[in-house]
Amino acid sequence: MRLFRESDAPALARLTVAAIESIGAHGYSPEQVTAWAARHPGPERFIGRAGRGSRICVAVDAGDNPIAYALLEPDGHLDMLYCDPAHSRKGLADRLLKEAEEAAHAMELIRLYTEASELARPAFERAGYAVQNRRDFEIGGVSIHNYAMEKQLR
């Protein structure tokens, strides 16, 4: 695990779309997956978010190549948690959520919150997040859902 470097941005952009298209297909329709993946722009998104104070924790392989990441905003919003499909189901989400929580404690935050997909929900629940409500919404005219979840830190 390490913090984001600007050179990670292209790999994180590819990893995000690959995860949505591969892993997302296990909980969402093809139409939903296509709409979800299409709303994720390229590498500049990560550079901009890091520049505005978001902490991006990156899990890397032995060659220092990004294989998973979590993006924590300064207010405690965990906006993204994605894993390369070739490295899923190996505990990386659990480790990244622990890293995010440690960062939140260091930032003296009192809670973490997120909008978890159907597939990420179990990882967040294992980490102690509670579902607040199901969120039904549209992306490009396609109905989809996720779960508003939060974890109190004190």
Side-chain angles (χ1 to χ4, degrees):
M1 298 283 172
R2 63 167 170 76
L3 289 178
F4 171 80
R5 298 177 189 148
E6 204 169 296
S7 61
D8 294 331
L12 296 186
R14 285 189 303 272
L15 181 159
T16 303
V17 173
I20 293 168
E21 291 176 346
S22 177
I23 300 167
H26 296 285
Y28 294 93
S29 72
E31 184 180 47
Q32 289 171 319
V33 168
T34 298
W36 182 8
R39 71 173 254 223
H40 286 278
E44 65 282 347
R45 179 180 194 178
F46 298 97
I47 295 166
R49 298 291 289 279
R52 289 189 298 278
S54 290
R55 177 185 169 94
I56 306 172
C57 184
V58 181
V60 296
D61 64 13
D64 200 39
N65 302 299
I67 57 174
Y69 71 94
L71 188 150
L72 177 63
E73 296 175 337
D75 70 348
H77 181 230
L78 191 59
D79 187 38
M80 292 191 255
L81 175 68
Y82 286 100
C83 183
D84 183 302
H87 297 276
S88 66
R89 309 207 56 84
K90 296 180 181 176
L92 289 171
D94 295 340
R95 289 179 52 206
L96 285 164
L97 289 172
K98 183 178 179 197
E99 290 281 332
E101 186 170 338
E102 289 173 4
H105 281 296
M107 296 161 63
E108 299 182 353
L109 297 172
I110 60 170
R111 77 176 179 122
L112 290 168
Y113 66 102
T114 194
E115 298 79 32
S117 70
E118 191 71 49
L119 301 153
R121 179 180 168 180
F124 282 97
E125 288 176 328
R126 282 192 308 274
Y129 287 70
V131 172
Q132 303 302 300
N133 61 285
R134 177 179 157 135
R135 297 176 62 244
D136 293 288
F137 57 99
E138 290 188 0
I139 300 173
V142 177
S143 294
I144 194 167
H145 70 277
N146 62 22
Y147 298 91
M149 301 182 77
E150 72 175 45
K151 180 176 185 173
Q152 294 298 320
L153 300 177
R154 12 179 168 155

